[in-house]
Amino acid sequence: MAGTLIPKGRRLRAAALLLAVVALHGLLLQAIGQRMGEPPEPPPLRRMEAVFTRSLEPAEPPPPSAPPRPRRPPARPAAAPSPSPSMAASAAEGPSQAVAESAPAFASVEASAEPVAPPPETAVEAPPAAAAPAVAETPPFEWPPSTRLDYRVTGDFRGPLDGWARVQWIRDGERYQVQLDVEVGLVASRRMTSDGTLTADGLKPRRYEERTAVMGRERRAGVAFGPAALVLNDGSELALPAGVQDSASQFVQLSFLFTLQPSLLAIGRHVDLPVALPRRLDTWRYEVVGEALVATPFGAVPAWHVRPHRPQAPERAGGVMTAEAWFAPSLQYLPVRIHIADPRGAELDLLIEQPPWQAGPGR
């Protein structure tokens, strides 16, 4: 039986269509295979909001405060047990050991606590009727209310750069967000968000997200902080170090440490802080360079210059961005200037434009 003849042109078109379908299926299978090997992208962080109602004017820094106390569930009432010999010995030694065990585990600091000499023995006992002298208690630490800082941005990268930046510290009960937005003209912008909880040791990030847009092309990256592990942007897991921070929360954590221990702000002192970036985990050493007057549009503000570097890892080709800051004790130890250096040669300088704005107390 003779078959039906198909014109040569139609056969070529059919073959081309078949090849196109096969190629498309191959590309789809390759894409599906790649996606199956990639971690699912988390939904974007929803930013918290606050209403700022008052300007924070420079003032004398507050005295050192005690660390915030962690919330503990109420204990059930129970009969007091009879003291054991070990308990009696502990009571005889005094409360110093219990205080040491309950002290918060801050980031590693050099000589962060001054030695306290024991009180001298009293030669003559006070009469029974005399009242014991009052002991001045260290005021408890209070987290600042939601705060907004506005910066003017100048810099250079193959030419002068100009833009703006805004840092917002927002808290709601024990939850916080640090939001950092930088925009340089119509060329580039970065939006960084740290979301976490407030603890006796300071900030405890739960998730960090950054969005970078250059010439209209946006790139998103982040870090997830689990109970015992960090999950980097590529899905790899690392052990969770104590006191770890992210790119946005590190400045607020340093302000927290300086508020509790103003003696850290002295030339030659330093604070070691682990910082989780989307692609690596590093320990940064923040060295106190010295005190300087920062000229702002609302006057000269005394501030302490703190510069970071990585003592455990030499700078590699490509490197990472560094951000040194000037913390002002008269403005609740907030950074009034931030200098960012990119390993590709770009430099940005953020200078505060006006006194910070804050929400009402406790907000």
Side-chain angles (χ1 to χ4, degrees):
M1 182 176 177
T4 305
L5 295 177
I6 301 176
K8 183 177 181 181
R10 188 178 298 177
R11 290 200 306 270
L12 292 176
R13 287 195 297 270
L17 178 61
L18 179 61
L19 290 174
V21 171
V22 171
L24 179 60
H25 278 235
L27 291 174
L28 288 175
L29 290 174
Q30 181 181 3
I32 292 173
Q34 290 177 350
R35 285 191 173 273
M36 289 181 64
E38 295 176 356
E41 186 172 325
L45 268 173
R46 183 176 180 181
R47 283 191 161 188
M48 300 164 57
E49 297 181 353
V51 177
F52 305 99
T53 58
R54 57 192 177 92
S55 176
L56 176 64
E57 300 298 332
E60 289 294 324
S65 53
R69 297 179 180 178
R71 290 188 176 182
R72 297 179 180 177
R76 296 181 179 179
S82 301
S84 63
S86 60
M87 293 174 60
S90 299
E93 292 176 359
S96 59
Q97 181 65 25
V99 173
E101 292 177 355
S102 63
F106 298 130
S108 172
V109 296
E110 179 189 23
S112 59
E114 299 293 337
V116 179
E121 297 182 0
T122 305
V124 181
E125 293 185 359
V135 178
E137 294 185 357
T138 304
F141 174 82
E142 293 186 8
W143 289 101
S146 298
T147 305
R148 188 190 76 199
L149 299 95
D150 295 291
Y151 298 87
R152 167 76 184 278
V153 177
T154 57
D156 181 82
F157 181 64
R158 301 174 184 173
L161 300 174
D162 187 79
W164 61 269
R166 172 170 289 176
V167 176
Q168 295 189 100
W169 153 259
I170 300 180
R171 50 171 292 212
D172 183 8
E174 294 184 348
R175 184 187 173 192
Y176 81 85
Q177 277 190 358
V178 181
Q179 304 168 4
L180 172 58
D181 296 281
V182 182
E183 185 169 313
V184 181
L186 301 176
V187 179
S189 65
R190 172 164 285 191
R191 176 185 174 102
M192 305 158 67
T193 307
S194 173
D195 186 282
T197 55
L198 305 175
T199 73
D201 297 336
L203 304 188
K204 184 178 182 181
R206 296 184 300 184
R207 187 175 161 198
Y208 168 77
E209 178 186 87
E210 66 181 33
R211 294 186 175 191
T212 305
V214 179
M215 302 298 292
R217 301 182 63 180
E218 185 175 281
R219 176 175 55 85
R220 183 176 159 202
V223 183
F225 298 77
L230 290 168
V231 182
L232 301 184
N233 193 65
D234 61 359
S236 59
E237 294 188 5
L238 299 174
L240 185 74
V244 65
Q245 300 298 316
D246 55 53
S247 298
S249 69
Q250 57 178 323
F251 298 113
V252 179
Q253 180 71 4
L254 287 172
S255 297
F256 167 77
L257 294 175
F258 296 150
T259 302
L260 290 183
Q261 303 180 61
S263 61
L264 290 175
L265 289 171
I267 298 176
R269 305 294 296 273
H270 68 257
V271 177
D272 289 341
L273 197 66
V275 178
L277 305 176
R279 292 167 182 81
R280 60 165 63 97
L281 171 66
D282 282 323
T283 295
W284 288 88
R285 173 161 293 176
Y286 296 84
E287 294 184 341
V288 180
V289 178
E291 193 173 15
L293 284 175
V294 178
T296 74
F298 54 92
V301 178
W304 284 94
H305 182 193
V306 179
R307 179 185 299 159
H309 72 95
R310 296 185 297 173
Q312 298 177 352
E315 295 297 330
R316 298 182 291 269
V320 295
M321 289 192 301
T322 58
E324 48 191 308
W326 285 256
F327 295 89
S330 62
L331 291 173
Q332 298 180 354
Y333 294 92
L334 295 170
V336 293
R337 181 187 171 195
I338 302 173
H339 185 82
I340 301 174
D342 186 275
R344 295 170 296 180
E347 291 193 12
L348 294 177
D349 201 79
L350 285 63
L351 179 66
I352 194 168
E353 285 193 304
Q354 59 184 342
W357 281 85
Q358 291 190 322
R363 299 295 299 275

